Amino acid sequence: MNTVSAASDRRKGPSLRQWLGYGGFALIGLVLLVVAIWRGDILRAALDPQIPFQTYDPPPAPDYATADAWALRDDRAPAAGPAAIFFVHSTTFDGGSEWNGPIDHAAADAYLKRVVLPNHAGPFARAGAISAPRYRQGSLYTRLSLRDDSREARAFAYQDILAAFEAWLLRYPDSPMILAGVEQGGELVERLVRERVATDPALRRRLAAVYLIDVVVPADRLSAEIPACETRSQFGCIVAFAPVEEGQDRTAFQRLRRALVWDDRGRLIELDGRPAVCVNPVTGTADGAAVPARLHHGATNATGLEWGARPALTAREIATQCRGGLLRHTAPSRESFRATGSWADRRKVNQYNLFFSDIELDAQARLAAWVAAPAR
């Protein structure tokens, strides 16, 4: 009798509890699949402030007469050169409820000090005294979206950079100048140079070089008074480049297609196929020649180093070439030159610098040319 009953139970199939268990596993699997496919969209949506920029109340404006408004203020390395360096940092604030980050945001400031300053301001430390303003930067979300709200938030940050620059000029009325910006910072410095420096003969005479790093700059927007650098012995010119790894043609296409550049009214508009500037930081030239890895001066991962500490450098790591308005480079071989961190961190500027020593040498060469010039 028991044998018959057991056989009958097996013919009935899974119980209700078993079916619920199977359904639960299937539901979990479906959720994991959806998250895997649309994870980027989900995380991007979480950074959206969800309010129009026109009704947005931004954080208070910085007071550049105070030390708190500066991440670096007149910092000078031992035996540094005579230049005054104005450095504008890249995006460090992720977003969420704010279109523009407050200057006292703890996580953004920690990322600035841990990653951006040692890797990307570091190459200028030997040239002179560096000042880096904190500013109400456009959030990471504004870099991931082309909507009008994002463009307005990015343009909003310019007023802080202009105010910081004017305050900085009061402390450095005579020194040779190096202006540098990375990613969002490069975008803002490009406008500053065109609208404020190129129109002032006294400032132009003081200009040793401009560095617009990891930013697409349209060639037809450069001022004739401050052109792209043609040789490393030239001063008063612009070194601009947007790096993309060789073989990443889709990334290169997207980089140019999604690039936003300034118009005459201070708005960010599409590049729309216009030629972009590329000066190879390894050679300091814009000739488009293929540059072998043996000429590469040195890459580093300085993340986590205290400001002023000298990082270890790796020379002959990558080959480079300016091509199609972008700086194409071979893939670095070392594991330390790989993207790491959270989803958001991997969409910010690199947590290493492939051209640390190249930019350092370039800045010193242009500063030396400025100092040696008989008349400016």
Side-chain angles (χ1 to χ4, degrees), residues 124 178-182 185-186 189 208-213 215 237-241 358-367:
F124 303 101
I178 293 176
L179 310 183
V182 181
V189 169
V210 177
Y211 293 86
L212 308 177
I213 300 167
V215 61
C237 57
I238 292 175
V239 175
F241 60 93
D358 304 275
I359 295 170
E360 182 178 62
L361 291 171
D362 191 277
Q364 291 175 321
R366 299 191 194 282
L367 177 60

Side-chain angles (χ1 to χ4, degrees), residues 54 64 72 81 164 351:
Q54 290 183 343
Y64 291 109
L72 296 173
Q351 298 181 51

Side-chain angles (χ1 to χ4, degrees), residues 24-297:
F25 283 121
L27 181 60
I28 292 171
L30 180 61
V31 169
L32 292 175
L33 179 63
V34 168
V35 169
I37 295 174
W38 286 290
R39 180 172 178 266
D41 292 331
I42 294 169
L43 294 172
R44 185 182 294 109
L47 300 180
D48 186 348
Q50 301 289 342
I51 57 173
F53 185 79
Q54 290 183 343
T55 63
Y56 168 63
D57 185 19
D63 178 3
Y64 291 109
T66 66
D68 289 345
W70 299 86
L72 296 173
R73 194 183 196 195
D74 310 330
D75 281 64
R76 178 180 289 277
I85 300 116
F86 185 78
F87 176 85
V88 183
H89 67 77
S90 58
T91 305
T92 62
F93 175 68
D94 291 353
S97 61
E98 301 276 2
W99 282 107
N100 293 82
I103 68 166
D104 59 353
H105 190 274
D109 199 54
Y111 192 87
L112 173 63
K113 292 176 180 178
R114 184 176 64 88
V115 175
V116 179
L117 295 180
N119 280 299
H120 300 288
F124 303 101
R126 292 187 171 185
I130 303 183
S131 297
R134 294 184 170 95
Y135 64 102
R136 291 172 294 177
Q137 60 182 286
S139 69
L140 177 63
Y141 179 78
T142 69
R143 315 294 301 178
L144 305 175
S145 165
L146 296 180
R147 56 194 269 201
D148 288 344
D149 291 319
S150 294
R151 301 183 196 209
E152 291 177 35
R154 287 165 65 173
F156 175 84
Y158 178 71
Q159 63 184 290
D160 285 359
I161 297 308
L162 180 58
F165 183 68
E166 299 296 350
W168 177 77
L169 286 176
L170 294 176
R171 297 201 303 279
Y172 292 98
D174 304 308
S175 304
M177 301 188 309
I178 293 176
L179 310 183
V182 181
E183 190 236 26
Q184 176 173 182
E187 180 180 282
L188 295 166
V189 169
E190 187 273 321
R191 181 177 173 184
L192 180 73
V193 169
R194 180 165 35 82
E195 295 185 2
R196 180 65 180 89
V197 181
T199 57
D200 187 328
L203 291 180
R204 291 202 308 269
R205 285 192 293 270
R206 294 174 54 193
L207 188 64
V210 177
Y211 293 86
L212 308 177
I213 300 167
D214 202 8
V215 61
V216 174
V217 178
D220 60 8
R221 293 297 287 164
L222 295 190
S223 166
E225 289 79 12
I226 307 177
C229 297
E230 296 290 338
T231 68
R232 181 150 279 165
S233 61
Q234 185 180 359
F235 65 88
C237 57
I238 292 175
V239 175
F241 60 93
V244 175
E245 192 174 295
E246 287 283 16
Q248 300 295 324
D249 292 338
R250 179 175 175 80
T251 299
F253 173 78
Q254 292 287 355
R255 185 81 195 260
L256 295 174
R257 188 181 72 83
R258 294 179 60 85
L260 295 179
V261 299
W262 300 104
D263 69 3
D264 290 332
R265 296 170 60 186
R267 301 175 304 179
L268 287 164
I269 62 173
E270 285 81 3
L271 180 66
D272 198 25
R274 294 144 67 190
V277 179
C278 181
V279 176
N280 194 322
V282 177
T283 59
T285 64
D287 55 15
V291 180
R294 62 182 173 80
L295 298 181
H296 174 236
H297 294 98

